[in-house]
Amino acid sequence: MKKLINNPQNVVAESLRGFGLAHPEHVRVNEDPLFVSRAGGAVQGKVGLVSGGGSGHEPLHAGYVGVGMLDAAVPGPMFTSPTPEPILEATKAADGGAGVLHIVKNYTGDVLNFETAAELAEAEDITVKAVIVNDDVAVEDSLYTAGRRGVAGTVLVEKIAGAAAERGDDLDAVAAVAQKVIDNVRSMGVALSACTVPHAGKPSFDLEEDEIEIGIGIHGEPGRHRIAMADADEITERLLTPVLEDLKVSDGEEVLLFVNGMGGTPLSELYVVYNHARDLLDQRGLKVTRSLVGNYITSLEMQGASVTVLRLDADLTALWDAPVDTPALRRGL
Amino acid sequence: MKKLINNPQNVVAESLRGFGLAHPEHVRVNEDPLFVSRAGGAVQGKVGLVSGGGSGHEPLHAGYVGVGMLDAAVPGPMFTSPTPEPILEATKAADGGAGVLHIVKNYTGDVLNFETAAELAEAEDITVKAVIVNDDVAVEDSLYTAGRRGVAGTVLVEKIAGAAAERGDDLDAVAAVAQKVIDNVRSMGVALSACTVPHAGKPSFDLEEDEIEIGIGIHGEPGRHRIAMADADEITERLLTPVLEDLKVSDGEEVLLFVNGMGGTPLSELYVVYNHARDLLDQRGLKVTRSLVGNYITSLEMQGASVTVLRLDADLTALWDAPVDTPALRRGL
């Protein structure tokens, strides 16, 4: 294992300390318990947004703390859910008196710990609602998950719900916008290589030299099937087709196309995937009116990518276009 | 070789087609000859900025075309200089009547081909000046290079000179600002793994399982020495110390600290490097007033990082802070 780390047990803490030092205009890092909140603190009268989950998916979630997106993020240990205590403290830090929305990826540990934290927060008179992101069409009931996994769609939920909160929507309305994104977004990913969790010291799964895994999870959970290495166009079609079938898109609809890198794949390859996905969407009569390409939710140094499609309407488009100013996503500010 | 590509010969063309489709608000991709220019065309009366070089370093340079940075970028084949013809056409596309600055990384092919293109542009009555970026302190006279190589400092030159052009500086003044950045920026990198150029099909060099290369070039050119794998703090010190010695910084000076990923290293590890670099700079009495952390100039899927320090003054800081709106770098717009 060759990594730019010191003691494997300290990677998350050291990394977040560096993150806080690099982005003082955006975030404040609380070391104990460990969570990240906006540099300016909670915004009075605004719904607070909190997300979190195991580390190793950077820039998710801490990279999305800032104006127009999250109010706080709770990074757990690598690929491991944070406990209720830091989630509770992050919820308190995000509360501006208008309630807090928890955006939770559908993994059993995350769901349970966010639920417990929400109960504790309610006991302190903070109103909490939660949405569960489960956009991965690859498999049901995966490792760590009952139902579908939450993957790249989470970035879109955080951006769009964050914009709704910023414009002054109340808690029910922000939760409804987040749920609307969840209802209209689907993803599927591929791994060309595994990744290595620092404290494990060896790859989280094995792939043969000429083998790839279609439908991989962001922790390396098994996907739909392993196939021999194929060209990018074929892989893109194998990811996009189930996404579109599940989303039941119709001719003429407007969509956002998001090609996400797993961390170890060059940006040039992500655009090769995007290029063919565009052709496939064109052929189906869909209009790609918004796009996102890059490493936005990763699996450490895993080589691979995911394809996400979000069905848009005028309101979701406007919220997507709204200003955002975070360490990892900035636009229009 | 497992990559998300089709025919290895078509990676650059397909990738740039996808790039153009994904970012229509920022760029226009000209397919033959291949170059990228601003979606809105040249800005009349503004100095035009053009950079370019071999592909494989994305988002450099095409990702930096847009308001506040480049007017055009010329991507060559993978790790191979573009020929004079596309550089000439990009220069013409960037010309708003106030002259054009070529920002050239110091590789023999790039320098020669940009020089030839500049002569051809002058013959068409476009005034061209050029600056040569050579910030890599690792070695002199490397593979492909007489003198020092141009590496991560190029991103800072493009951002800061771009801001100078945007505020209305004339060609001499923009060139002077670019040169000032070059005079005050130094970098050094490390490779934990090699990368594979698609049409070559095998890694560009070999590293043993427990070996890393200090002072690596962005094409995998040999560095200063190979050492056994070390922890992040030691590696960071081995990169930062020669940078600071060469830059001859003094106690109390303000600097920008840039930790760049080579493409295959998780963002969390880049922040671990940043974290220790901050401590080392603090110990030397330097003030880090601006920061950049991420994959801004890469070497395909190489695992590794580079550390760059830029000495700041009030003008450079203001130009760094100026709005920028490109596919890969956005701030304040």
Side-chain angles (χ1 to χ4, degrees), chain A residues 36 71 92 94 111 118 129 182 185 189 197 206 237-238 281 310:
Chain A
V36 175
D71 294 86
K92 289 157 74 172
V111 172
K129 297 198 98 175
I182 293 167
V185 69
V197 176
D206 292 310
E237 192 163 354
R238 280 177 178 269
L281 292 171
L310 168 65

Side-chain angles (χ1 to χ4, degrees), chain A residues 2-6 15 17 21 23 192 208 211 229 232-233 268-269 271 275 330-333, chain B residues 2-6 15 17 23 192 208 211 229 232-233 268-269 271 275 278 330-333:
Chain A
K2 285 198 275 192
K3 287 179 175 286
L4 288 169
I5 61 172
N6 298 298
S15 179
R17 182 175 177 273
L21 288 168
H23 304 289
L192 277 59
E208 297 297 323
E211 193 182 44
M229 184 63 206
D233 285 359
S268 50
E269 297 179 26
Y271 282 110
N275 182 51
R330 296 185 190 187
R331 182 176 328 129
L333 264 186
Chain B
K2 285 198 276 193
K3 287 178 174 287
L4 288 169
I5 62 172
N6 298 298
S15 179
R17 181 174 178 273
H23 304 289
L192 275 59
E208 297 298 323
E211 193 182 44
M229 185 62 205
D233 285 358
S268 50
E269 296 180 27
Y271 283 110
N275 181 51
R278 276 296 291 259
R330 296 185 191 187
R331 183 175 326 128
L333 266 185

Side-chain angles (χ1 to χ4, degrees), chain A residues 2, chain B residues 190-195 204-205 207 211-213 216 262 264-265 299 301-304:
Chain A
K2 285 198 275 192
Chain B
V190 61
L192 275 59
S193 74
C195 59
S204 51
F205 59 101
L207 273 178
E211 193 182 44
I212 63 178
E213 178 133 358
I216 195 78
M262 296 295 197
T265 283
S299 302
E301 72 282 2
M302 185 188 286
Q303 290 182 294

